[in-house]
Structures are given as C-alpha cells and as structure tokens.
Amino acid sequence: MGLNKLSVFGVNQVYSILVVDDEEALRKQVVSLLISHGYQVDEACDGMEAAQKIAQHPYPLALCDVRMPRLTGLELLRHIREHEFSTTVALITAHANIKDAVEAMREGAFDYIEKPIKEATLLEIVAKAKKAHDMIEKLTLSAPMLTPGEGRECVGQSKEMKRVFQVVEKLTRVNTSVLVRGENGTGKELVARAIHFNSPRKDGPFVAVNCAAIPETLIESELFGHEKGAFTGADQRQIGKFQSAAKGTLFLDEIGDTSPATQVKLLRVLQEHAFTPVGSSREIKSDVRIIAATNRDLEKMIREGKFREDLYYRLNVMPIFLPSLKERRDDIAGLVNHFIEKFNQEHGQRITTLSPEALSALENFHWPGNIRELENAIEHGFVVESSSFLTFASLPDYIKRATRRAHSPHKTTLQVEALDWERGKESFEREFIVQALKKNSGRINLTAEIANIPKNTLLRKIKKYNINPREHGGWEGNLES
Ligand SMILES: Nc1ncnc2c1ncn2[C@@H]1O[C@H](COP(=O)(O)OP(=O)(O)OP(=O)(O)O)[C@@H](O)[C@H]1O
Ligand SMILES: [Mg+2]
C-alpha cells in the first residue's frame, strides 16, 4: 500500500531500438545513424529473427522493413500485438509497398518512413516514438495505488489523494466506523473496498447496500431481515444485510437518504452491536464493520432536522473526504493511464500511446461526473479507435467542444456563425480536416487514405480553408506531394 507501481522494465531502462531489414547495407546505414545520435541499437536480418529477439528483450521500438523473407513487417506487427509485447513498430517501406504500410498503420503501427530514407524524417519519427514511450512510462511509474481487492486499483498521486491514502491506511488497522464523503463518481465505494480488502476482515464479505434505492417500507427488513409472517408478503424468513456481512464490512451507500426510523435502528447497531429482525423478539449480535457514504450535506440536514446528530457523530469518527476531480487535476494523467491499461485487458485491445493534445484536453475538462465520467470517456476512445493511439479525435464530442470553446478567442462570433447552415458546414469541414491531418502527422497522402477523402478534394479544401499541414506535425506536408 502507498507503493509506487513499478514498470516491468525497471526505472532506468535504456531506450533501445531494434532495426529489422534483410537488406544489409540499408540496415547498417540506419544502425550507424541511430548510434551516432546516442541510441542503443540492435539489429535483426528478418522478421523471424526480430520476433525471437523481441521475445527476449522488451525493445521499446522496432524499425522494420515491410517486405522480408520468412516473416514480413506486417506479420511481425501482428505477432507483437498478439503476444502483447510492448514494442512499438514503425515501418520502412519502398513507395511500391505503401498500401502495406497504410494497412499496418490501421493495425497499430506507429508510423512509416518511405525509402529512400531521409535522415531527418527517420530521426523525427524515432524522437516522436521515444517521447510517447517516455510519457506512458512516466505515468506508469508515478501512480501510487491502493489495492481494493478483486484486481481493482485506486490510483492517485495528487497531494489530496496521498492524504486520503494515509487515512485509509490507518483505517485498515482499526475497526471504527467510517464516513466517506464526496461528489458522485469520486470513488467513495472504491475507497470503502480499499479499506475492507486491506483490513483483517478481508476474507469476510464486503456487502454494499444502496439506501437510496430501497423503498422506505422495505429498508428495515432488507438491513435487519424479517421473520416469516412479519408483514404482508413475508411468507418466508429472510436474513438481512447485517447478517450476510457478518465478520466482514457493510457498505451503507447514500446514508443521507435514510428515514428517521431507520436512522434510529442504525444508531442502535452502532452503539450496542446488536439488532432485531422485523417481527422477531430475538436480538442478534452483530460483528460488522460499517462504512457509510454520502454526497449530501449532512451538517445542513442535521440543522434541518433530517439527519440524526447522534448517528452522525457515531459514523463520523474518521471522516474521509474525496475531492472532486477538478480539484486534483494532478491525478488525471495517472488515472487515464490506469484506465487505458484496464480497457486494454477488458477489450483485448492494445492502446500504447496517448497524444499530448488528448491528455491536455482531459486535464483541462471540468469533469462534473468526476472519475466515473473520465473512465467513460476513455472507454469511448477504445470503442471508436482501432489503432493503437488515443488522440484528441477519439475523445467524446462534448469534451472536444468544451476544449475548443475554452481555447477559442472568438467564442460568441463562432457560435453565431455556426447558426448559418453553409458556414456551419464549412466550419465542420475545416475542423474535420484539421483533426484528420493532426492524427496523421500532417501527411496528405496518409490523411486522404485513412479519412477516405479523394486526395484532390483534400488538397482543394486545404487551400480553401488556408490550412497549413506543417502546423499539424507534418514534416513532408507539402501541398505538391
Ligand atoms: N482513485 C481511483 N482510481 C481508479 N479508479 C477509480 C478511482 N476513483 C474512482 N474510480 C473508478 O471510478 C468509478 C466510480 O467510482 P465509485 O463508484 O467508487 O464512485 P462513488 O463516489 O461511489 O460514486 P457515486 O456517488 O456515484 O456512487 C468506478 O469505476 C471506480 O472504479
Ligand atoms: Mg457509489
């Protein structure tokens, strides 16, 4: 607990590159260029040898020829993804094989370089791949976590969350009641699980009850159980949640939504460690730890006579307050990385890179739904994205719009303009092309191919809207290309 999550490769991994080409002269040329720029380099004479080397050493980057005997570049890429090796692949391709390279990009290659190789282009691609790698590596190394059991993790590196983790750690060693406060989606249930699964009760049950979701007439029997015939419809004896949580933890979610009658009974369990099922005269001893949660203003409810003050003090022995996500933006990068890993596993996908524009949009959004909303935004990215990158374009539209609005110097003019149909269409077209170019590093041929726009149309629109492909990362973004 409170540990730093360690990357599999250790902290000081060198950025080593595997150069794969059956043409020896070309391979040597690339190798010596990279060595002269300070990279650690290894080589393989075809795809098969490369696959063997990658299995033994986690090269962050492989530069691969497309056409090779035994295993082609595309086959090597598929092999890497199937085995979930972390190697990023960039392809070296003759112009004649450009279709294969585009296909490889769709399947998750990082980029491609056309032969004859321009040194500057090669170095730029390598630098870009290294930057993306360093970013992910940094995120992986810097996310302290709590393990709430069942393979879940509670991630946070902001000073606010570090403080929460310290309190949680203390709470795992005592048996007091806990009250977890925070807005919707801030992780209240996750923190409750973290306390339970790191406490001596971890082998006992964790039972969650949402007090707001149970009708007033049923809540007592739900919590404390009932005898057969206790009320109309009670045709069988039933045990309550307090009994099913014996030797474990009972999580009372939305405690602020309980009625005064239920509050009295809860107070009694907390004080006397005993309860009586509905319709019974027999008292049952309770060995349950209670963790309650709410997003309501309990202090105000007490003033208004809606929440019992004595229950509040009983629960509030050790309060935990979870700040909203916008109050701890330092956590966003770590959470994004955490959710990328999570969905890579759940969706069997392999997203390895998050673009800086996407991260910045996520870091600046106001997140009214907090971490749950961030989690959904990343999952949205997984659904729309078939490559191995999450980019600004893969974010949900409402986040993209909010980001653009925040960066637009002419907010009102733009909105008024958009009310005109023709102008609206034009502004969409322009935005679409800018995003498509950004996604494809400003390269015209690739953008036309991937966004499915005839190249001539694309060139015409670029001129019409006065877009500069170079601004979007293109080093060969030449209108004449
Ligand atoms: N620090 C965190 N690290 C990783 N995942 C988190 C973290 N906090 C929350 N989550 C995830 O965000 C989602 C929402 O968390 P949770 O259900 O615990 O919030 P909550 O405060 O109980 O929300 P609500 O008030 O709506 O019930 C869950 O999927 C949870 O796993
Ligand atoms: Mg909850």
Side-chain angles (χ1 to χ4, degrees), residues 153-155 184-190 335 338 371-372 375:
E153 283 167 5
C154 185
V155 176
N184 285 335
T186 44
K188 297 187 292 294
E189 180 160 353
L190 195 66
L335 283 163
H338 168 74
I371 298 163
R372 182 176 295 111
E375 185 173 3

Side-chain angles (χ1 to χ4, degrees), residues 146 152-156 161 165 180-193 210 251 253-254 293-295 322 328 331 335 338-339 342 369-373 375:
L146 291 171
R152 302 191 210 200
E153 283 167 5
C154 185
V155 176
M161 281 310 278
F165 289 173
V180 192
R181 318 275 300 259
E183 289 175 12
N184 285 335
T186 44
K188 297 187 292 294
E189 180 160 353
L190 195 66
V191 161
R193 286 178 185 275
N210 183 346
F251 177 58
D253 204 358
E254 317 287 1
T294 185
N295 57 7
L322 292 175
R328 45 173 162 132
D331 282 342
L335 283 163
H338 168 74
F339 292 132
K342 175 179 160 195
N370 294 296
I371 298 163
R372 182 176 295 111
E373 189 180 12
E375 185 173 3

Side-chain angles (χ1 to χ4, degrees), residues 179-180 209-212 252-259 263 266 270 290-296 298 301 307 311 315:
L179 180 60
V180 192
V209 182
N210 183 346
C211 301
L252 294 175
D253 204 358
E254 317 287 1
I255 187 97
D257 292 48
T258 48
S259 71
Q263 290 174 24
L266 287 173
L270 284 166
I290 294 182
I291 303 182
T294 185
N295 57 7
R296 300 257 215 137
L298 290 186
M301 290 179 71
F307 199 83
L311 177 59
L315 290 171

Side-chain angles (χ1 to χ4, degrees), residues 153-189:
E153 283 167 5
C154 185
V155 176
Q157 58 205 355
S158 60
K159 58 181 190 315
E160 291 83 357
M161 281 310 278
K162 281 187 184 145
R163 228 174 287 136
V164 168
F165 289 173
Q166 278 169 358
V167 179
V168 166
E169 177 146 31
K170 284 200 187 105
L171 285 170
T172 60
R173 288 185 265 118
V174 292
N175 209 16
T176 50
S177 308
V178 182
L179 180 60
V180 192
R181 318 275 300 259
E183 289 175 12
N184 285 335
T186 44
K188 297 187 292 294
E189 180 160 353

Side-chain angles (χ1 to χ4, degrees), residues 361-362 365 367 377 392 395-404:
L362 295 171
F365 191 64
W367 302 115
F392 184 79
L395 300 178
D397 287 340
Y398 74 96
I399 294 175
K400 287 190 274 196
R401 278 199 299 273
T403 309
R404 282 191 212 112

